[in-house]
């Protein structure tokens, strides 16, 4: 992250689910933001992706716990992308309109949430 990223009012953390938790890349990013974390006090939206029909529920639960511990204002509504291989066409374009609506709602809610805090 560059210094201007630390000034952001809101952040979206997106992760695939690996073995029932979030990715090591997200862990590395969070750990390198120091303690107290540069994420503290920021509005945070969470997105989890998995091939499973249940999606990334465990990863989202774990990330929610971590962001709460860091003092983030984590949005209560998270986007859980289940069966992610069905959501995109062969060119990588999003084809799932319900998912598109949920992602757009996350962006709107995150903007509103960041103004509250």
């Amino acid at each position: 992250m560059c210094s201007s990223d630390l000034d952001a009012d809101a952040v979206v953390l997106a992760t695939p689910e690996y073995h029932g938790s979030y990715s090591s890349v997200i862990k590395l990013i969070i750990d390198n933001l120091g303690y107290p974390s540069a994420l503290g006090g920021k509005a945070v939206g969470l997105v989890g992706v998995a091939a499973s029909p249940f999606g990334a529920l465990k990863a989202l639960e774990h990330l929610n716990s971590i962001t709460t511990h860091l003092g983030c204002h984590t949005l209560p509504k998270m986007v859980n992308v289940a069966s992610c291989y069905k959501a995109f066409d062969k060119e990588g374009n999003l084809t799932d309109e319900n998912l598109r609506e949920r992602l757009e709602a996350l962006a709107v809610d995150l903007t509103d949430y960041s103004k509250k805090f």
Side-chain angles (χ1 to χ4, degrees), residues 87-95:
F88 301 90
D89 64 18
K90 292 180 181 181
E91 289 78 39
N93 299 306
L94 183 61
T95 59

Side-chain angles (χ1 to χ4, degrees), residues 15-91:
T15 184
E17 184 166 294
Y18 287 127
H19 304 293
S21 193
Y22 53 88
S23 75
S24 59
V25 174
I26 292 291
K27 174 77 167 127
L28 183 64
I29 290 168
I30 291 170
D31 288 349
N32 279 289
L33 290 174
Y35 195 88
S37 178
L39 291 175
K42 296 189 186 306
V44 175
L46 301 177
V47 178
V49 179
S52 159
F54 303 107
L57 292 173
K58 295 285 188 185
L60 290 169
E61 288 174 359
H62 290 168
L63 265 182
N64 184 50
S65 178
I66 297 297
T67 57
T68 299
H69 174 77
L70 295 175
C72 301
H73 301 288
T74 308
L75 280 171
K77 289 184 182 177
M78 302 169 210
V79 177
N80 180 25
V81 183
S83 303
C84 60
Y85 57 91
K86 294 180 180 178
F88 301 90
D89 64 18
K90 292 180 181 181
E91 289 78 39

Side-chain angles (χ1 to χ4, degrees), residues 2-15:
C2 66
S3 62
S4 63
D5 294 334
L6 299 176
D7 295 332
D9 294 324
V11 175
V12 174
L13 295 177
T15 184

